[in-house]
Structure formats: structure tokens, C-alpha cells
Amino acid sequence: MLDAAIEVFARKGYVETSVQDIADAVGLLKGSLYHYIDSKEGLLYRLLNEVHDDVEAILAEVADFPGLGPLERLERYVERQVAYNLANLDRISVYYHDVHHLGDQRRQVILGRRRVHERFVARLVAEAQVAGEADPTLDPVIATNCVFATIIWVYRWYRPGRFDAEALARDCARYAIEALRAPA
């Protein structure tokens, strides 16, 4: 059901998708679908929370990996996040196109989960600056936003088959890290 909803939301957009469209996609009567969901917004909220469950696992794995300096850790984080986004283009598209359609309370929960990632990256940028690995003249907030632009925006232009996803994830990570590196 969630996969069908993602496909329909990605194709039609959240606003244009009806509960009937989702019911048709999963082969259920509309009334039967309400046995599994409370509302279309509730379904969107579940989908966005699932994305965060997945990417929080990436963050936890990278945060716990031993022996990495801040830029190495950040490079691994960017590579894994880009790889996730490339493997989940529809989910990421729905996330960034439709998160603002959630009601205030649900949207704040999702944005709170997002801020965990923003703080993680900002902390790594600041640690890299203190360690002399990253350019100390960069504003960590701006640098963090640029790192996330590299992670996020691949869903807008990447199409499977045109580039090798694994190589692309490595290239994006290398690009983000080289932009932060302290001048020689």
C-alpha cells in the first residue's frame, strides 16, 4: 500500500491524488483502504516518517563508525545519503515536494527529525574547521546548506541508467568535501 501511494503521489502529486486513486492502485475499495489509513495526510505522514527511519539509520551508522575524522565522516554520510536518494527517487521526490502539505503538528515532527541531520552535518563542518581540515572562513550554516543541496537535488536530475549510481554517490560526496576543504 505504501509503495503504491508513493508511486501515485510521485506521478500525480499529493494534492491531485485522491484516496480513490490509491485504492485503485492497490486493488481495494476506497472504504476498505480506510481500514489501513486514517486519511490521505496520515498516509503521507507515514511515508515521510519511513524516509526518516531509513536516513536516521544511515546517520547512526556513520556516527558510530570508528576512526574517522570529521571530513571523512561527512564524506561517508554524503555518499550514503546520495545513494539512498538515488535508490528511492520517488520517495525523496514526494518528501521534498509534499512535506509542506502536512498539518502543522505533523510537519513540525518531520522537520524536527530533519534538524537532527542538519545539526549533525553542521557539527562535522565545525569540527573539521577546528581540526584545520575545512576552510575556517566558511560559515558552517551556509556550508551545511550546500552539503544538503548536493545530497538532495540529485533526485531532480538523476535518471536510472544514465549514470552509475554508486559512482555518482562517490562523486557527489567528493564534490561536497572538496568544496569544504581548507586551502593548501
Side-chain angles (χ1 to χ4, degrees):
M1 177 184 61
L2 292 175
D3 289 339
I6 290 165
E7 188 276 323
V8 177
F9 287 157
R11 184 171 34 85
K12 292 183 76 169
Y14 173 78
V15 171
E16 297 301 318
T17 297
S18 67
V19 173
Q20 184 64 57
D21 294 329
I22 297 166
D24 291 346
V26 295
L28 290 174
L29 296 172
K30 181 177 165 181
S32 299
L33 187 60
Y34 281 109
H35 175 74
Y36 302 100
I37 66 170
D38 62 343
S39 64
K40 183 173 84 167
E41 181 191 330
L43 183 57
L44 177 63
Y45 182 64
R46 265 173 59 189
L47 296 171
L48 301 185
N49 265 310
E50 271 194 3
V51 167
H52 272 288
D53 292 344
D54 294 343
V55 298
E56 284 173 9
I58 293 169
L59 188 148
E61 175 191 336
V62 170
D64 291 341
F65 199 86
L68 297 179
L71 281 186
E72 292 171 305
R73 191 171 307 283
L74 185 55
E75 185 171 14
R76 187 165 288 192
Y77 174 81
V78 171
E79 184 176 341
R80 295 233 167 91
Q81 290 287 21
V82 169
Y84 176 83
N85 288 358
L86 295 176
N88 295 280
L89 290 172
D90 285 347
R91 286 176 183 272
I92 297 305
S93 176
V94 169
Y95 182 100
Y96 286 105
H97 286 232
D98 297 317
V99 67
H100 66 281
H101 291 298
L102 292 174
D104 286 341
Q105 184 178 2
R106 286 175 167 168
R107 187 175 56 254
Q108 290 310 313
V109 170
I110 296 297
L111 296 179
R113 293 185 81 179
R114 184 189 297 178
R115 280 190 287 280
V116 170
H117 291 262
E118 293 165 354
R119 285 190 298 268
F120 177 74
V121 170
R123 189 185 81 241
L124 289 175
V125 169
E127 288 175 7
Q129 287 175 315
V130 169
E133 296 177 13
D135 185 341
T137 65
L138 293 174
D139 180 310
V141 173
I142 293 171
T144 296
N145 285 320
C146 289
V147 167
F148 277 106
T150 301
I151 293 169
I152 295 165
W153 282 95
V154 294
Y155 88 90
R156 298 284 296 186
W157 56 265
Y158 173 77
R159 296 297 169 259
R162 184 164 181 214
F163 301 101
D164 176 72
E166 199 173 296
L168 178 58
R170 278 193 312 272
D171 287 347
C172 287
R174 189 173 68 227
Y175 171 81
I177 297 311
E178 290 305 316
L180 296 173
R181 204 170 293 284

